Amino acid sequence: MRWKKTASMIEVHAEGEVGRVVTSGVLDVPGATMLDKMLHINEVDGSLRRFFCFEPRGYAQMSTNLLFPPTRPDADAAFLILQPDRAHAMSGSNSICVVTALLETGILPIHEPQTVVRLETPAGIVKAVAQCTDGKCVSVSLDMSPSFVDRLDAVVEVEGLGPVTVDIAFGGVFYALIDPAQFGMAIDPAAARTLADIASRVHRAVDAQLDVQHPTTKGLGGISYTMFVDRDARGDLRGATVLPPGRFDRSPCGTGNSARLACMVARGEAAVGDRFEARSIIGSKFDVGIFGETKVGDRPAILPRITGRGWIHGFHQIGLDPSDPFPEGYAVADCWGDGMDLLK
Ligand SMILES: O=C(O)[C@H]1NCC[C@@H]1O
């Protein structure tokens, strides 16, 4: 074997959203904390992100999760979420994928009927409670990051669309939440390309026109994603997160629904103790709820809880031959999306 780099991973999806879990090939990333490691990838050396996320080893519609030993004594494992544009601080679907992989392959011991896993992320500790039967994680409940509103009904000037109203909120990462009705649209898989194009334009406008900062943690600023929010015919929450360079989350989105719940509480549309069904653009489901409240800096914040399911669907090995002409991979807008400028 003459490969310059080799990595093994577990292929997992959570309610349709793929979150690969790397189990070998990456020993560590410089940084004393998970936030430091994320900033190293985003500000110093993005080669790992490109190796895993770009073609031919990667593709747009997935995330790659790097596993690490925890840097904190109160955590069982740590992970970083790599996507084509950057490493991100927290992710609901990816947390479900990581817990499913850790427990169903014995990296951490599985206990029945319930296993608690404390995950360390750049956004802090996420407590995961997995319901386990016959060696399967039947469901995973996540106590998400404290979530809060940055601003409601902000207006940005969007190329080709004019003024667009968004809510900016934090659910583990920052979101621009968009009501599609302002474009005469609704969340519909048949309109996915049009909606994804709109979302990429809104993302650019928010980046350029709004200064979004976390009140207590430098390095968590700026929106990660945009998310269309509406309700389905049954009145259930329906959400569709668009990730750079312009593709939809296949899951209902845990961090996005956490941000949405914070906005609903701020508008008096929800309260502590409420629970909802949240659907994705493909109809998959998370149970989402609010189990407490707190403060983040001077901001009132909620404690969301997200429950969903993950499934292992493969085992995978990738590598780099020294003669490969594309050691850092490549991406083309035909299937990656119109927001190629949003990639680093
Ligand atoms: O569920 C979530 O929070 C994630 N799904 C893809 C984008 C977000 O990180």
Side-chain angles (χ1 to χ4, degrees):
M1 172 76 76
R2 66 176 208 165
W3 279 356
K4 275 175 64 176
K5 187 166 192 55
T6 303
S8 301
M9 60 190 73
I10 304 170
E11 296 277 359
V12 198
H13 77 84
E15 303 293 344
E17 174 68 7
V18 171
R20 308 187 307 181
V21 181
V22 175
T23 54
S24 78
V26 177
L27 266 183
D28 199 358
V29 167
T33 68
M34 292 313 294
L35 181 63
D36 293 340
K37 294 179 192 291
M38 182 187 83
L39 296 176
H40 178 84
I41 289 174
N42 290 343
E43 297 172 2
V44 178
D45 178 3
S47 60
L48 269 183
R49 165 176 58 86
R50 289 189 293 269
F51 173 76
F52 281 107
C53 297
F54 285 82
E55 296 172 59
R57 286 164 289 270
Y59 53 95
Q61 300 77 9
M62 59 97 188
S63 304
T64 298
N65 297 287
L66 301 180
L67 284 182
F68 298 99
T71 72
R72 294 175 44 159
D74 58 345
D76 301 304
F79 76 107
L80 273 183
I81 303 123
L82 300 184
Q83 284 165 4
D85 63 324
R86 56 179 152 133
H88 291 267
M90 173 47 195
S91 168
S93 63
N94 284 293
S95 295
I96 292 170
C97 291
V98 166
V99 170
T100 301
L102 288 169
L103 296 182
E104 293 189 6
T105 65
I107 298 172
L108 286 179
I110 191 168
H111 305 291
E112 301 190 2
Q114 202 174 76
T115 309
V116 176
V117 177
R118 297 178 61 81
L119 294 171
E120 183 183 354
T121 76
I125 293 285
V126 173
K127 177 185 171 187
V129 180
Q131 302 303 325
C132 307
T133 305
D134 298 334
K136 174 80 184 84
C137 282
V138 176
S139 71
V140 178
S141 290
L142 305 170
D143 289 356
M144 301 288 283
S145 313
S147 300
F148 58 88
V149 172
D150 176 80
R151 68 198 86 180
L152 296 175
D153 299 321
V155 178
V156 287
E157 193 58 36
V158 179
E159 170 208 350
L161 296 172
V164 172
T165 300
V166 297
D167 292 340
I168 304 293
F170 184 84
V173 293
F174 275 109
Y175 279 82
L177 303 171
I178 312 166
D179 179 351
Q182 63 189 298
F183 311 108
M185 299 183 77
I187 294 172
D188 174 3
R193 281 190 80 94
T194 303
L195 287 168
D197 174 53
I198 290 172
S200 296
R201 297 187 199 193
V202 173
H203 196 132
R204 288 187 198 99
V206 171
D207 282 350
Q209 298 167 38
L210 302 182
D211 179 22
V212 180
Q213 294 301 330
H214 191 279
T216 62
T217 309
K218 188 168 167 28
L220 293 182
I223 63 165
S224 285
Y225 314 114
T226 55
M227 182 183 189
F228 291 105
V229 290
D230 67 8
R231 291 195 181 236
D232 66 16
R234 287 174 299 205
D236 289 337
L237 303 184
R238 182 169 55 184
T241 291
V242 179
L243 297 79
R247 67 92 176 175
F248 277 98
D249 184 347
R250 271 71 171 143
S251 86
C253 193
T255 49
N257 272 289
S258 297
R260 180 180 190 174
L261 290 173
C263 293
M264 289 171 68
V265 168
R267 289 202 167 93
E269 298 164 356
V272 175
D274 285 351
R275 290 181 54 188
F276 304 88
E277 281 198 2
R279 297 278 172 181
S280 71
I281 197 166
I282 66 168
S284 56
K285 178 173 74 77
F286 281 164
D287 291 316
V288 304
I290 306 161
F291 73 94
E293 50 194 4
T294 183
K295 284 181 83 76
V296 175
D298 61 350
R299 305 288 177 87
I302 61 165
L303 299 173
R305 181 168 291 151
I306 305 289
T307 301
R309 303 165 298 171
W311 292 272
I312 294 175
H313 58 276
F315 293 84
H316 192 39
Q317 196 170 47
I318 59 173
L320 174 61
D321 184 291
S323 66
D324 187 325
F326 303 103
E328 296 217 336
Y330 48 87
V332 184
D334 62 337
C335 58
W336 284 71
D338 300 327
M340 299 297 285
D341 58 301
L342 295 170
L343 302 187
K344 298 298 178 276

